[in-house]
């Protein structure tokens, strides 16, 4: 298993980790199979979305804050209940196909680390799964 280190600079942001993911696959020599990414943080998540226009990431962050505001009817004493809810909506893991030594993504897709309680230093665990 390998890891990707992610350092976030604000409370909420989506960080493009596509290049780091592709580099791990390329360096591994895996030609065919899958890649499992796992975020072991309860206030962060992973997603695949558009990476051609950075305003898409901004729109996601801004509108998630509208859907799940920072202040609300929360009982969790740490003051980050919204981050827990947002991370649950996105999810902690991704399973991606690897073919011809590359992660298979759509033309406009990228892999994103979703920070909802930063800034922090985070880790994403990476497990390569060779085809049988």
């Amino acid at each position: 298993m390998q890891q990707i280190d992610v350092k976030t600079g604000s409370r909420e942001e989506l960080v493009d980790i596509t290049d780091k993911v592709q580099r791990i696959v390329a360096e591994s020599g895996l030609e065919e199979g899958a890649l499992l990414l796992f975020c072991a943080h309860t206030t962060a998540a992973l997603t695949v979305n558009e990476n051609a226009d950075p305003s898409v990431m901004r729109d996601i962050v801004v509108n998630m804050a509208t859907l799940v505001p920072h202040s609300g009817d929360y009982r969790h004493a740490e003051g980050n209940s919204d981050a827990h809810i947002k991370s649950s909506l996105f999810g902690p893991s991704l399973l991606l196909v690897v073919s011809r030594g590359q992660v298979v993504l759509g033309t406009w897709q990228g892999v994103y680390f979703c920070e909802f309680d930063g800034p922090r230093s985070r880790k994403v665990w990476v497990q390569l799964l060779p085809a049988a």
Side-chain angles (χ1 to χ4, degrees):
M1 186 163 15
Q2 297 185 50
Q3 75 179 35
I4 295 171
D5 295 318
V6 181
K7 188 173 240 55
T8 60
S10 59
R11 184 168 192 279
E12 298 182 341
E13 67 180 294
L14 275 64
V15 179
D16 188 344
I17 61 170
T18 309
D19 289 344
K20 293 178 180 183
V21 171
Q22 292 284 24
R23 190 174 310 115
I24 287 174
V25 172
E27 291 173 358
S28 75
L30 179 66
E31 285 296 315
E32 301 293 328
L35 173 79
L36 177 65
L37 300 174
F38 179 72
C39 171
H41 304 286
T42 61
T43 56
L46 297 166
T47 195
V48 172
N49 212 301
E50 181 177 329
N51 70 349
D53 180 355
S55 65
V56 172
M57 294 308 104
R58 177 258 176 218
D59 292 348
I60 291 172
V61 169
V62 167
N63 287 285
M64 284 303 295
T66 300
L67 292 170
V68 184
H70 182 60
S71 297
D73 184 15
Y74 306 128
R75 293 184 181 174
H76 182 54
E78 291 181 29
N80 61 356
S81 289
D82 66 312
H84 290 288
I85 294 167
K86 291 169 188 169
S87 69
S88 290
L89 290 172
F90 281 84
S93 63
L94 296 172
L95 181 63
L96 302 172
V97 174
V98 174
S99 182
R100 298 184 186 129
Q102 291 286 311
V103 177
V104 177
L105 293 168
T107 302
W108 307 113
Q109 288 183 322
V111 180
Y112 288 89
F113 178 85
C114 309
E115 176 65 77
F116 298 117
D117 193 28
R120 294 181 186 246
S121 293
R122 305 287 202 162
K123 295 182 185 339
V124 175
W125 299 105
V126 182
Q127 183 67 55
L128 300 165
L129 306 167

